[in-house]
């Protein structure tokens, strides 16, 4: 099954938010909103075991400090696997922070954070996850920003057995989201709204099931990590005084 030219009514359920999540234009668009009473969220009706998943998202414009818009794949249960994008809001004019993480068997703590090289609130941009048995690649407008390779051969767990649904939500996280919680949500700016369109999920019998980064993509990845990465758990010596996790040195 290929989900293309997607219809949010067919592909997703609004799961919480008491009317703050909306599917509009006959299923072509979806919006999630946050006010001081509640955020909102949705999840996919389908589960995916491996996937190439794209979504065009336009993030909350203006002063979005204190807000988090999460977009992620996750299995269920306490030993869950998860592939995370989280977008941490900003004071107007400051860059958004894109927070990424990978969980295997309930364990995460593999954070990398980036700024973007464009304003993600001015227009829609494509945020993608490629997940196959060899690798997980996070991409923005087809530019890879992070790769998490399958390194089971050196004892690093890799998500490969638990099907995941796609989720997104927006909520208030002003105790930590913006500058570590120094900047609080300005509720006079509410409602805060993120917009979604053009979801695409390809089935796992396609060429991408064996895809790896080609040399051009490797160069793009290095460019992003050199110029736009602002946090990498694999460089945080205070956090890992006994030495970095094995995947950091692979």
């Amino acid at each position: 099954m290929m989900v293309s030219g997607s219809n949010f009514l067919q592909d997703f359920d609004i799961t919480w938010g008491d009317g703050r999540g909306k599917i509009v234009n006959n299923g072509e668009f979806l919006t999630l909103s946050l006010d001081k009473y509640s955020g909102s969220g949705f999840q996919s009706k389908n589960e995916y075991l491996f996937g190439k998943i794209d979504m065009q998202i336009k993030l909350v414009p203006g002063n979005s400090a204190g807000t988090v818009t999460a977009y992620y794949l996750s299995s269920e249960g306490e030993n869950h696997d998860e592939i995370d994008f989280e977008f941490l809001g900003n004071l107007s004019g400051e860059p958004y922070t894109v927070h990424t993480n990978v969980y295997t068997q309930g364990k995460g703590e593999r954070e990398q954070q980036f700024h973007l090289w464009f304003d993600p609130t001015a227009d829609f941009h494509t945020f993608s996850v490629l997940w196959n048995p060899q690798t997980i690649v996070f991409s923005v407008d087809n530019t890879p920003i992070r790769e998490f390779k399958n390194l089971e051969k050196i004892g690093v767990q890799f998500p490969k057995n638990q099907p995941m649904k796609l989720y997104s939500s927006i909520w208030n996280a002003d105790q930590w989201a913006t500058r570590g919680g120094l900047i609080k949500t300005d509720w006079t700016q509410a409602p805060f709204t993120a917009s979604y369109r053009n979801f695409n999920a390809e089935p796992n019998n396609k060429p991408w099931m064996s895809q790896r980064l080609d040399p051009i993509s490797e160069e793009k990845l290095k460019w992003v990590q050199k110029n736009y990465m602002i946090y990498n758990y694999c460089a945080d010596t205070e956090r890992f005084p006994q030495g970095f996790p094995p995947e950091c040195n692979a």
Side-chain angles (χ1 to χ4, degrees):
M1 178 189 82
M2 176 144 179
V3 182
S4 187
S6 80
N7 186 310
F8 284 105
L9 290 166
Q10 293 172 3
D11 300 329
F12 293 92
D13 293 312
I14 305 277
T15 45
W16 63 283
D18 200 24
R20 290 171 180 83
K22 294 184 171 68
I23 297 173
V24 296
N25 281 30
N26 297 316
E28 289 182 18
F29 289 90
L30 188 153
T31 60
L32 293 180
S33 291
L34 163 71
D35 59 34
K36 64 177 157 186
Y37 304 105
S38 179
S40 50
F42 66 80
Q43 71 181 45
S44 63
K45 295 181 180 180
N46 292 322
E47 291 185 317
Y48 307 95
L49 184 57
F50 306 119
K52 184 173 187 303
I53 291 175
D54 305 317
M55 181 82 80
Q56 290 193 312
I57 306 174
K58 182 162 68 170
L59 294 171
V60 175
N63 177 3
S64 57
T67 71
V68 172
T69 304
Y71 164 65
Y72 60 101
L73 289 156
S74 182
S75 63
E76 298 187 345
E78 60 184 47
N79 293 322
H80 72 293
D81 297 336
E82 193 171 312
I83 303 169
D84 277 351
F85 274 105
E86 289 185 293
F87 307 105
L88 312 186
N90 61 3
L91 281 173
S92 193
E94 296 289 316
Y96 254 81
T97 296
V98 180
H99 175 99
T100 65
N101 206 347
V102 176
Y103 287 76
T104 52
Q105 297 294 314
K107 181 181 182 301
E109 300 184 345
R110 299 189 179 104
E111 301 91 347
Q112 290 183 356
Q113 293 184 341
F114 307 85
H115 286 153
L116 294 170
W117 49 96
F118 55 83
D119 178 357
T121 73
D123 203 352
F124 286 88
H125 292 270
T126 303
F127 296 91
S128 307
V129 171
L130 168 69
W131 170 37
N132 66 29
Q134 295 80 41
T135 193
I136 295 166
V137 179
F138 298 76
S139 297
V140 180
D141 292 338
N142 293 316
T143 296
I145 65 170
R146 177 176 186 176
E147 181 176 25
F148 184 80
K149 294 177 181 174
N150 184 336
L151 295 170
E152 289 176 309
K153 64 179 184 286
I154 60 167
V156 178
Q157 290 187 318
F158 186 82
K160 63 174 190 182
N161 299 315
Q162 301 190 74
M164 304 197 212
K165 288 188 172 182
L166 181 66
Y167 298 84
S168 190
S169 56
I170 183 170
W171 77 92
N172 177 39
D174 69 2
Q175 70 277 19
W176 62 270
T178 306
R179 291 189 56 206
L182 291 176
I183 300 171
K184 302 301 183 186
T185 305
D186 178 358
W187 294 112
T188 66
Q189 306 292 315
F192 303 97
T193 300
S195 306
Y196 303 76
R197 71 180 187 192
N198 292 348
F199 165 69
N200 187 52
E202 294 187 21
N204 61 8
N205 57 357
K206 292 284 183 174
W208 61 260
M209 270 296 278
S210 56
Q211 185 176 331
R212 297 169 188 261
L213 291 181
D214 61 29
I216 292 172
S217 297
E218 293 270 12
E219 286 305 309
K220 287 182 177 178
L221 179 68
K222 287 177 186 164
W223 173 78
V224 171
Q225 298 205 334
K226 179 183 175 196
N227 293 290
Y228 296 100
M229 180 185 278
I230 56 170
Y231 177 80
N232 181 7
Y233 76 110
C234 283
D236 191 338
T237 50
E238 285 185 20
R239 190 167 159 193
F240 299 105
Q242 306 303 316
F244 293 116
E247 69 268 19
C248 295
N249 303 311

